[in-house]
Amino acid sequence: PSFVSATLFALAACPAAGVRVSRPALAHVRASSVPQSRREALAAAAALVGASAPAFAEKSKGYMTMDEYNKLKAREAKDQRLYGQFEALRTRASQTSEFNKLAESGDFSKLSELSRGWEATIRKELLEAAAKELEGEAKQKGQDINKLVLADLKGIDKLAKAGAGDEVPAASASLRQHVLDFVALEPQRLQDTFGVGDL
């Protein structure tokens, strides 16, 4: 037998190789009487074997390794946490009117307390933490907005200590806008994955 036929018959006889050689292919080899060089024989054998290779040998292997699965689940958990941070900030932006109410009532001690509470929790634990998870240009914009929000809160605290209630509405409006500017940086993939569309 030729080198091609010997190669194919050996592969066909060895199921552990994971390669199935069709009967037509074997018949064609048997019937072929064209002389071939060793290089041509190898090329022919490779072509026939490649055509019969199992699907998992392709570039798209069609399955996921445990390491890949764990990385995917970790990314999903990370995205879900980030989505929750953006949703919380969206809600908090509408609550900045509370600064105005305290200023109007003249309760400057609570106004100062509220501004410091925002700085320690909402800004630091939500906005700053979310900014660190953004990528590319959005990450830089997020970090810049974080600084602006910090300045807004320090300004409100300063107004509270000075008893300048008339200036608080403008300061809280600036804070609200900066929070909304940050919320606008939310990656679209988060809305696509976790957002609730119109029913």
Side-chain angles (χ1 to χ4, degrees):
S2 69
F3 184 78
V4 176
S5 61
T7 301
L8 291 176
F9 289 137
L11 289 171
C14 183
V19 177
R20 295 181 297 176
V21 181
S22 64
R23 291 182 179 276
L26 290 173
H28 173 74
V29 171
R30 290 194 186 97
S32 177
S33 59
V34 179
Q36 293 176 304
S37 68
R38 184 180 179 84
R39 179 171 296 181
E40 291 171 336
L42 285 171
L48 288 171
V49 171
S52 304
F56 61 77
E58 299 176 359
K59 184 175 181 180
S60 178
K61 55 183 180 292
Y63 66 87
M64 188 180 297
T65 65
M66 184 59 69
D67 182 58
E68 290 171 335
Y69 173 79
N70 289 335
K71 287 181 179 178
L72 177 63
K73 298 304 291 183
R75 179 58 185 255
E76 289 178 351
K78 190 175 182 180
D79 277 355
Q80 188 167 20
R81 183 170 59 253
L82 185 59
Y83 174 75
Q85 290 169 331
F86 273 99
E87 284 298 291
L89 287 168
R90 185 177 284 107
T91 298
R92 291 296 186 177
S94 65
Q95 297 174 351
T96 53
S97 59
E98 185 64 23
F99 290 102
N100 301 343
K101 293 177 182 179
L102 291 174
E104 289 173 3
S105 66
D107 196 342
F108 296 112
S109 61
K110 284 189 177 181
L111 177 60
S112 179
E113 183 180 334
L114 181 61
S115 65
R116 285 184 276 109
W118 262 67
E119 197 286 318
T121 57
I122 299 169
R123 185 198 69 81
K124 195 172 185 63
E125 295 181 5
L126 292 178
L127 196 148
E128 185 173 80
K132 292 178 180 178
E133 300 300 328
L134 298 177
E135 300 173 351
E137 185 179 348
K139 186 182 186 75
Q140 184 59 56
K141 287 182 178 180
Q143 292 173 340
D144 291 341
I145 293 173
N146 180 45
K147 294 177 182 178
L148 294 174
V149 169
L150 176 59
D152 289 333
L153 292 170
K154 286 184 175 181
I156 292 175
D157 185 41
K158 185 176 180 179
L159 292 174
K161 291 176 178 177
D166 293 342
E167 298 179 43
V168 171
S172 67
S174 176
L175 172 62
R176 179 177 184 276
Q177 186 57 55
H178 287 148
V179 174
L180 290 176
D181 289 344
F182 184 85
V183 170
L185 298 177
E186 181 181 15
Q188 183 59 43
R189 73 174 187 277
L190 300 184
Q191 281 295 325
D192 293 341
T193 304
F194 306 107
V196 179
D198 295 333
L199 298 179

